[in-house]
Amino acid sequence: MNDTTPTRYLPPGLPVPAPESDGLSAPYWSGLREGRLRVQHCAACGTWQFGPEWICHHCHAFDPPWEDVAPRGRIYSWERVWHPAHAALKGHGAYLVVLVELPHAGLVRMVGNLLGDPMQEVRIGAEVEGVYEHHAGAQPPFSLLQWRVHTEDAR
């Protein structure tokens, strides 16, 4: 797994992602800045969940802890996006959005961008690996998790 990308995938001018004011997603965002993917894993019943919640989706235990997981998964679904969702994306053409399922983390699913040619063939079930895109110079600094097709699966 590569922890950096040689260039920025997204153009400047997009809103800076940040944890909510209540700090719920802070462990996720700080983990990305450290090059780690964190997902909630309930200590009471063992349920994995993402997005962040104050209670377990299954047993309703409060404050499920965060656990580091390998940033590897499979493409569950995908979409080639043509319409710019933000003014900063105008003129940047198509991009690929994937829903990635993490088999080693209770099959939770995460949305992200698929790196590479936006016109590439995308296969449901293809293995992907996370790539951390660090923006140390932003105010505040942040990191994103992008996805790329695992090299052995790209053939």
Side-chain angles (χ1 to χ4, degrees):
M1 179 191 60
N2 186 7
D3 13 347
T4 60
T5 44
T7 59
R8 289 174 58 131
Y9 179 71
L10 297 172
L14 291 168
V16 172
E20 297 84 359
S21 59
D22 63 7
L24 176 61
S25 64
Y28 171 75
W29 293 108
S30 65
L32 293 184
R33 284 193 309 277
E34 298 165 8
R36 298 162 43 192
L37 175 58
R38 293 181 180 145
V39 177
Q40 285 181 308
H41 190 200
C42 181
C45 72
T47 297
W48 294 88
Q49 64 186 34
F50 190 85
E53 294 287 346
W54 288 113
I55 64 169
C56 172
H57 295 169
H58 181 73
C59 74
H60 302 128
F62 286 100
D63 206 16
W66 292 83
E67 188 171 316
D68 289 353
V69 297
R72 298 194 56 134
R74 295 185 297 253
I75 296 176
Y76 182 84
S77 184
W78 67 278
E79 178 71 28
R80 193 176 328 271
V81 180
W82 293 91
H83 180 76
H86 187 276
L89 296 172
K90 187 175 181 178
H92 285 277
Y95 58 95
L96 293 167
V97 176
V98 290
L99 182 60
V100 175
E101 186 173 69
L102 306 178
H104 54 284
L107 301 177
V108 297
R109 297 177 187 147
M110 306 180 116
V111 175
N113 296 306
L114 185 65
L115 300 176
D117 182 353
M119 301 312 291
Q120 69 185 290
E121 179 181 337
V122 181
R123 186 176 56 79
I124 300 294
E127 291 188 19
V128 291
E129 55 190 351
V131 177
Y132 298 97
E133 181 180 307
H134 302 289
H135 297 263
Q139 290 305 317
F142 69 95
S143 295
L144 299 173
L145 180 64
Q146 312 288 8
W147 298 95
R148 70 172 172 207
V149 175
H150 184 55
T151 51
E152 292 177 13
D153 210 37
R155 294 185 254 167

